Amino acid sequence: EDDGAEFDAQVAEKAEREIVRLERKIAGLGPVNGLAPEQHAELAVRVESLRAVHIDVAQAAADVRVLAGRLGESIERRFDAVFGSVGMHFQDLFQELFPGGQATLRLEALTSPGEGTPEGLDGAEAATGVRSPKLPGVEILARPAGKRLQPLSLLSGGERALTALAVILALQQVNASPFYVFDEIDAPLDDSNILRLTKLLKRLSADQQFIVVTHNHVTMAAADVLYGVTIDQDGVSSVLSVRLAAAEQLGEVYVRGHRQAVVAAV
């Protein structure tokens, strides 16, 4: 339309090729979505909502990491305090069960951090990003009189039983319970060890109650009360109980009165 401009065939051909290219590009986009503005507005609202939720979750995760760190420090402090107290009671109880012996609790070294996870975290820690508190294992070392200090696994059966019992009782001295149930703890012991065991239980029974399931006559003789099940001639079972302290007093009265007393322990 501009009469003053000269027609340039090359420019016109180039413009036509560009027009064709743009038309093909527009055709490749497909039909026009007339609802695109409304859909964009809805998605923008949802994005803002998800962004707010993400911020809240990130803040909560940071708070959990801080709390986990504080709990880890608290657990380690309490473990050290309880471990020291249990170790002290264990030494005293072991020396009472093994006169002239020595025992101790030793912390085992931690294993090296795992490989293939960020910052040495294990699988669960890597997924959550929270490091769990790492506590070492505990090794029991004992030296009965006349032997060298060695792990629990190298002791004899009776020595292992008494040493393990000393550890259990040491734990209970730190966190006491109203009563304890022991099942056949004297089975691997000889009479001399059973006497030391019953003497220890007698001393501790001043503040705690012990219920011992046993078939050993030495252990039964040290008990205050016996409970047993017997079967009479008719095949009927019945529960019997004997309070030995009361029976001894009754026996003394009968002896002083020149009468005979018979006490049966089942």
Side-chain angles (χ1 to χ4, degrees):
E1 295 178 356
D2 188 1
D3 295 337
E6 297 181 357
F7 178 77
D8 190 342
Q10 293 181 353
V11 174
E13 184 179 358
K14 182 177 180 181
E16 289 180 357
R17 289 198 302 269
E18 182 66 17
I19 292 172
V20 172
R21 186 185 69 81
L22 293 175
E23 289 177 346
R24 291 178 179 176
K25 187 174 181 180
I26 293 174
L29 295 176
V32 177
N33 183 9
L35 299 177
E38 291 80 1
Q39 294 176 353
H40 177 270
E42 294 177 359
L43 292 176
V45 173
R46 179 170 175 76
V47 167
E48 290 299 325
S49 176
L50 293 177
R51 182 176 289 111
V53 172
H54 177 268
I55 294 175
D56 292 341
V57 171
Q59 183 61 42
D63 295 341
V64 169
R65 292 188 182 94
V66 173
L67 179 60
R70 294 177 181 174
L71 288 177
E73 295 176 357
S74 177
I75 289 173
E76 291 180 358
R77 287 195 302 269
R78 293 184 61 183
F79 177 83
D80 293 338
V82 172
F83 180 79
S85 180
V86 170
M88 180 185 64
H89 287 290
F90 172 58
Q91 293 178 12
D92 295 339
L93 292 172
F94 185 85
Q95 291 176 357
E96 188 169 352
L97 291 173
F98 295 93
Q102 182 183 4
T104 184
L105 299 178
R106 184 174 65 185
L107 294 179
E108 296 178 344
L110 288 173
T111 56
S112 58
E115 299 179 355
T117 56
E119 300 180 358
L121 302 179
D122 58 26
E125 294 172 344
T128 59
V130 178
R131 182 184 296 275
S132 302
K134 299 296 185 181
L135 297 178
V138 178
E139 185 179 12
I140 302 173
L141 300 175
R143 183 187 65 80
K147 295 185 178 182
R148 60 184 179 84
L149 193 66
Q150 54 191 343
L152 181 64
S153 59
L154 298 181
L155 300 177
S156 65
E159 292 171 344
R160 284 200 304 268
L162 284 182
T163 304
L165 182 63
V167 174
I168 294 174
L169 292 175
L171 290 170
Q172 299 302 328
Q173 296 303 306
V174 177
N175 188 14
S177 299
F179 65 92
Y180 308 92
V181 180
F182 293 141
D183 186 8
E184 300 287 354
I185 58 174
D186 52 5
L189 305 179
D190 54 19
D191 290 346
S192 60
N193 286 330
I194 293 177
L195 287 174
R196 288 196 292 269
L197 172 62
T198 54
K199 182 179 179 181
L200 173 62
L201 295 182
K202 275 284 190 181
R203 181 178 68 81
L204 297 178
S205 63
D207 301 320
Q208 301 154 355
Q209 185 177 17
F210 296 93
I211 302 172
V212 182
V213 180
T214 181
H215 293 88
N216 189 282
H217 65 282
V218 179
T219 305
M220 289 190 288
D224 295 328
V225 181
L226 294 178
Y227 295 95
V229 179
T230 184
I231 299 178
D232 57 19
Q233 295 179 356
D234 298 330
V236 179
S237 61
S238 58
V239 178
L240 299 179
S241 63
V242 178
R243 294 187 177 273
L244 298 184
E248 291 176 358
Q249 295 176 1
L250 181 61
E252 293 176 359
V253 172
Y254 280 9
V255 169
R256 286 197 301 267
H258 302 287
R259 299 179 62 181
Q260 219 172 14
V262 177
V263 178
V266 180

